[in-house]
Amino acid sequence: MIRPLVTATLLAAAATPAIAENSKPQPVPYVDTIPPARDIAYPGTITLDVDATDTKRGIFTVKESIPVKDAGPMVLLYPKWLPGAHSPRGEIEKLAGLFITANGKPVPWKRDPVDVFAFHIDVPKGAKMLDISLKFLSATKTDQGRIVMTPKMLSLQFNSMSLYPAGYFTRQIPVKATVKYPDGWTAASALTAKATGSTYVYEKTNYEVLVDSPALAGRYYKRWALSPRVNLNVVADTPEELAATPEQIDVHKKLVEQAVKNFGAQHYDTYEFLLSISEDLGGIGLEHHRSSENGVKPGYFTKWKDGPGSRNLLPHEFTHSWDGKFRRGADLWTPDFRTPMRGSLLWVYEGQTQFWGYVLQARSGIVSKQDTLDMYASILATLDNRPAREWRAMVDTTNDPVMSQRKPKGWTSYQRSEDYYNEGLLVWMEVDSILRKQSGGTKSIDDFAKAFFGINDGDWGQVTYTFDDVVATLNNIQPYDWNGFLSTRINETGAPAPLGGFVANGYRLIYADEPTLAFKNSEMTGKKTDLTYSLGLVIDKDAEITAVGWNSPAYKAGLDIGIKVIAVNDVAYSDTLLKAAVVTAKTSKDPIRLLVKNGERIDTIAIDYHGGPRYPRLEKIGSGEGGLDKLLSPR
C-alpha cells in the first residue's frame, strides 16, 4: 500500500522544475559627504534681502549673498530641525526658484539624495561670493500648511527664507538681514532694526539668533510697553480688534511682573510678544528666546468677558524664555538645524512650562482663578479618561513631535498625543505638593523655579540640563527620593492618571450635570459640542463627529470620526437636541438613537447610555487655603 504512494510522489517531484533561490540584492552604499558642524567662526558675513510685498499671492522673494573663501565642494543647508517644533518640520517643499551664481555665472546645485534639505555645489575658482535667489511660497489654503502671509499681515520666519553653510555651529555664522514690507505696514521683531519707509535693516547678528527672531508685520498695528524690557506688539485684521482696555493691558503687565518675581531673573535684553489677531493668518504659539509668536482668532480683546479663550497662550510662551530657551534639555540642544533633536526631557521643557502657564495666568489675572480651576478640571478629566495610559508611558509621547508632527490622530485617547504637556503639568503639581509636605510648608515649586531657571541674570544663551540635574536641584531644595518618584511617573504604564498632586493641594476632580463657564467657552470658541465624558464624542458645527473616546459608549456603538449625525431620536440633529437626549436617557431605559451618514451609507446607531450629563470640575477638599490656593495667589 505504501509503495505506490511513494512512486507517485517521486514522479510528481520529477515533473516539477527546480525552483531557483529568490533574488537578493545588496544595498547601494551611502556616504555622508555633508560636513558636521564645528564650533569655529565662518569667514565672512551673509547678507539676506527679503521682499515681502507680494501679499496678494503670498510670495516672499529673497536674495542672499554668502561669502566663500575656497573653491571646491560646499554644502548649503535649509533649516530642517526647528527649535520649538522639536522635529524636522522645515517647509522645504515651499522653497522654489532656487538659483545660485558666482561671478555672474550659474553654479549648478544638486540635492543630497538622502538629506533633501542639503544642496551640494562646487564653488568655482576665483569666486569670493555666492549669490542666491529663491522664493518662499506661503500656504494659501490651510490644507497646504500654515498661512503666513495675507493682504493685511504677515509672519516672517527667517529659517524659511534662507540657506546656510554646512560645517559650522549656526551661532558662528554672521548674518545681516534687510526686509522690505508693504507700504504703510509696521513690523516688530526682537532684532533691532532701522526703518527707512517700509524697508527695515536689521542689526548684524548670527544665524542662530536670526532664526530665533521672527518678525510680525501688518497694516493695523499697536504696541504697549508692559515693562521697561517687555513689549506687547499686536497686529490685527481690523483696527477694532486693537481696542484693548487699560484693565486688559494692566493684567498683561502683571503677567510680566509675576513671571519675573517667579523666576528671579530675565534672560533677554528686551522681549517682544508678537500677537496676531486674525481670521486668515495661521494660528501659532511658538517660543523664542527674546520673543514669541502668538496667533489667535478675532475677539482676544473684544470678547474678553465671554471667557478665557486663548489667553493661556501668552503666559505659556513667555515662560518658555526661561524654560526651553534658556534652560534646555541637553539632548534637545543642537549646534545647527540639521542635527536631530531628542526630546526625552520635554516633560520638563513643555510640561513645566504648561504648569507655569496656568499658574501665571491666575497670578496675573489674565485668566481668573475660577476659570483656571475649571481649565485644570478639563486637563485632569482628559487624562483620567485616557486608556492609552495602559500601554504607553508618558515619556514615550516625547517622540510624538517626530512621529506624527502634530498631524491629527484618529484615536487620540488610545494613541496619546504629546501628553508630556498636560501629564507633565500633573507631575509638577505633585512635585509641588511633595515639596510642601516634606518641608512642612516652607518650600514649594517656586523654590525650584528660582534655583533652576533664575541663574545668570541677563544671559540669553543656553544652559543645558540632564535628568540628574533636575533631581539634584530638587534634592538641594528638599531631600526626597526624587529620582525614584520622577522615574516612576514618566515611565509607568497601567496606573491611574497622576491626579494626586491636586488632591494633596486641596482639590479633587468630580463630574457634574452642568458645564463650567470655561468649558462652555471652549465649546463656543471651538465651535463644537463636547460630550466626551458622557457619550464619549465631540461633534463640530457641521454635525460631524471629530473625536470618539476609546471604549466609550459612542465607541461601543460603532461610531468613528468623520461620521455625520443627521437626527437624534428621529428628530433633525441639533446640539441642543442631543444634549437634551442625554438628560432624558438618564431616567429612561431606551437608548439614544442617532441617524448617521457614513460616506454614502445611512445607519441608525443606538447608544445605550444612561449616566446623564457629565462635565468635569474641581471640588475643594476641606476648608481654608490649600496648596493650590497658595500656588495661584499673586506674589
Side-chain angles (χ1 to χ4, degrees):
M1 297 293 294
I2 296 175
R3 186 177 180 85
L5 178 62
V6 171
T7 301
T9 302
L10 291 172
L11 288 172
T16 303
I19 299 175
E21 186 177 6
N22 287 335
S23 300
K24 295 180 178 179
Q26 294 297 311
V28 175
Y30 167 69
V31 178
D32 186 358
T33 57
I34 302 173
R38 297 171 297 161
D39 197 7
I40 59 173
Y42 185 75
T45 299
I46 294 173
T47 59
L48 186 67
D49 290 286
V50 180
D51 185 327
T53 59
D54 194 350
T55 60
K56 290 184 178 180
R57 295 179 296 189
I59 298 173
F60 295 85
T61 298
V62 179
K63 293 188 181 300
E64 181 177 12
S65 295
I66 300 179
V68 289
K69 185 178 179 181
D70 300 311
M74 182 178 185
V75 180
L76 300 175
L77 300 175
Y78 188 78
K80 178 179 181 180
W81 286 83
L82 301 180
H86 321 309
S87 63
R89 288 174 59 190
E91 293 187 295
I92 187 71
E93 76 282 0
K94 294 181 174 64
L95 171 67
L98 176 61
F99 296 94
I100 304 174
T101 63
N103 296 329
K105 296 180 179 180
V107 176
W109 56 262
K110 186 174 182 180
R111 196 184 301 265
D112 190 86
V114 174
D115 186 346
V116 298
F117 289 72
F119 301 88
H120 295 266
I121 64 171
D122 277 310
V123 178
K125 290 182 179 180
K128 300 298 181 183
M129 186 75 68
L130 297 175
D131 294 309
I132 301 170
S133 63
L134 60 87
K135 296 183 186 299
F136 180 78
L137 311 179
S138 169
T140 52
K141 294 180 64 178
T142 55
D143 62 0
Q144 301 168 10
R146 179 174 176 251
I147 295 172
V148 299
M149 181 184 275
T150 77
K152 295 180 180 178
M153 65 179 70
L154 65 84
S155 172
L156 191 158
Q157 297 176 328
F158 287 102
N159 51 276
S160 295
M161 311 287 153
S162 56
L163 303 176
Y164 69 98
Y168 300 85
F169 280 25
T170 53
R171 69 188 180 202
Q172 292 275 23
I173 303 173
V175 60
K176 189 173 180 63
T178 300
V179 181
K180 180 175 175 55
Y181 297 100
D183 290 339
W185 285 29
T186 304
S189 171
L191 280 182
T192 301
K194 182 178 180 180
T196 303
S198 61
T199 298
Y200 285 60
V201 179
Y202 291 95
E203 64 182 337
K204 181 179 175 180
T205 186
N206 62 64
Y207 193 71
E208 178 185 71
V209 172
L210 181 75
V211 169
D212 196 43
S213 306
L216 175 67
R219 185 176 306 280
Y220 305 113
Y221 166 84
K222 197 164 185 178
R223 183 189 197 197
W224 290 271
L226 303 182
S227 81
R229 294 167 66 177
V230 180
N231 300 295
L232 174 61
N233 303 272
V234 187
V235 174
D237 285 339
T238 65
E240 289 77 17
E241 288 292 333
L242 299 175
T245 67
E247 293 77 18
Q248 290 168 341
I249 298 303
D250 186 57
V251 293
H252 287 80
K253 292 179 179 179
K254 288 179 180 176
L255 168 62
V256 175
E257 174 189 302
Q258 290 296 316
V260 174
K261 285 183 177 180
N262 186 64
F263 297 113
Q266 296 178 78
H267 299 296
Y268 43 78
D269 47 359
T270 61
Y271 185 95
E272 306 293 333
F273 284 106
L274 308 177
L275 175 62
S276 60
I277 304 176
S278 177
E279 197 67 59
D280 301 317
L281 195 76
I284 192 172
L286 184 59
E287 65 273 16
H288 301 282
H289 211 137
R290 300 184 297 152
S291 64
S292 57
E293 296 177 90
N294 309 274
V296 300
K297 293 292 185 182
Y300 183 83
F301 294 122
T302 59
K303 296 181 180 179
W304 190 275
K305 294 181 180 178
D306 289 355
S310 302
R311 297 204 298 275
N312 175 255
L313 182 58
L314 269 62
H316 180 98
E317 299 304 339
F318 191 37
T319 296
H320 269 315
S321 182
W322 291 268
D323 185 1
K325 302 307 294 184
F326 175 61
R327 296 304 308 264
R328 197 177 310 177
D331 58 354
L332 192 65
W333 182 87
T334 58
D336 62 4
F337 303 121
R338 180 179 185 246
T339 304
M341 297 174 180
R342 291 160 290 167
S344 67
L345 290 159
L346 282 173
W347 54 275
V348 184
Y349 181 124
E350 295 288 7
Q352 194 167 150
T353 294
Q354 190 81 327
F355 175 91
W356 287 119
Y358 283 93
V359 169
L360 292 173
Q361 74 175 25
R363 289 184 184 178
S364 64
I366 281 184
V367 177
S368 71
K369 177 184 175 182
Q370 186 57 55
D371 281 342
T372 300
L373 292 173
D374 294 342
M375 293 165 79
Y376 278 142
S378 291
I379 291 172
L380 271 61
T382 297
L383 291 161
D384 192 40
N385 292 270
R386 183 142 287 183
R389 300 190 74 263
E390 290 292 323
W391 70 272
R392 191 176 183 201
M394 183 262 278
V395 73
D396 188 57
T397 72
T398 62
N399 296 301
D400 276 348
V402 180
M403 290 166 51
S404 61
Q405 299 191 21
R406 297 184 174 168
K407 295 171 184 171
K409 293 185 177 183
W411 299 98
T412 303
S413 63
Y414 201 58
Q415 293 171 282
R416 282 192 181 259
S417 181
E418 299 189 52
D419 282 357
Y420 53 85
Y421 277 88
N422 283 334
E423 193 163 327
L425 182 156
L426 301 188
V427 170
W428 289 108
M429 184 64 72
E430 197 167 4
V431 168
D432 178 69
S433 70
I434 293 170
L435 286 170
R436 292 178 190 276
K437 180 179 179 181
Q438 294 294 318
S439 69
T442 63
K443 301 292 182 181
S444 73
I445 199 167
D446 292 56
D447 296 283
F448 179 87
K450 287 185 174 63
F452 201 70
F453 303 112
I455 60 174
N456 303 1
D457 186 34
D459 180 358
W460 44 280
Q462 303 93 30
V463 177
T464 60
Y465 61 85
T466 64
F467 178 88
D468 290 341
D469 294 327
V470 176
V471 169
T473 303
L474 285 167
N475 272 318
N476 286 337
I477 296 167
Q478 178 61 50
Y480 186 73
D481 182 15
W482 294 110
N483 188 316
F485 168 76
L486 292 174
S487 295
T488 297
R489 284 291 176 265
I490 67 175
N491 291 297
E492 66 188 353
T493 56
L499 312 184
F502 279 85
V503 173
N505 273 346
Y507 286 84
R508 60 173 160 249
L509 174 67
I510 63 169
Y511 296 89
D513 289 345
E514 291 294 325
T516 63
L517 292 177
F519 194 96
K520 289 181 180 178
N521 181 245
S522 176
E523 284 190 301
M524 180 183 69
T525 57
K527 299 178 181 179
K528 62 187 178 181
T529 300
D530 190 346
L531 300 173
T532 298
Y533 309 107
S534 53
L535 298 184
L537 53 75
V538 179
I539 303 177
D540 70 11
K541 61 182 178 60
D542 298 317
E544 186 173 296
I545 296 174
T546 58
V548 175
W550 193 266
N551 281 337
S552 68
Y555 172 91
K556 293 175 181 177
L559 291 173
D560 191 4
I561 64 171
I563 293 175
K564 188 166 185 176
V565 181
I566 300 171
V568 180
N569 292 335
D570 302 323
V571 180
Y573 171 81
S574 71
D575 58 347
T576 303
L577 181 63
L578 181 57
K579 289 180 178 181
V582 173
V583 174
T584 301
K586 187 174 183 179
T587 56
S588 170
K589 294 183 179 180
D590 296 329
I592 299 171
R593 298 188 315 280
L594 302 182
L595 186 66
V596 302
K597 186 175 187 293
N598 186 1
E600 298 302 315
R601 192 174 70 250
I602 303 294
D603 293 319
T604 298
I605 301 292
I607 304 180
D608 193 18
Y609 174 76
H610 305 281
R614 294 180 79 243
Y615 296 100
R617 63 177 64 225
L618 292 185
E619 179 181 71
K620 189 167 175 59
I621 302 170
S623 59
E625 189 178 46
L628 185 52
D629 298 314
K630 295 175 182 177
L631 187 65
L632 299 182
S633 297
R635 299 306 189 248

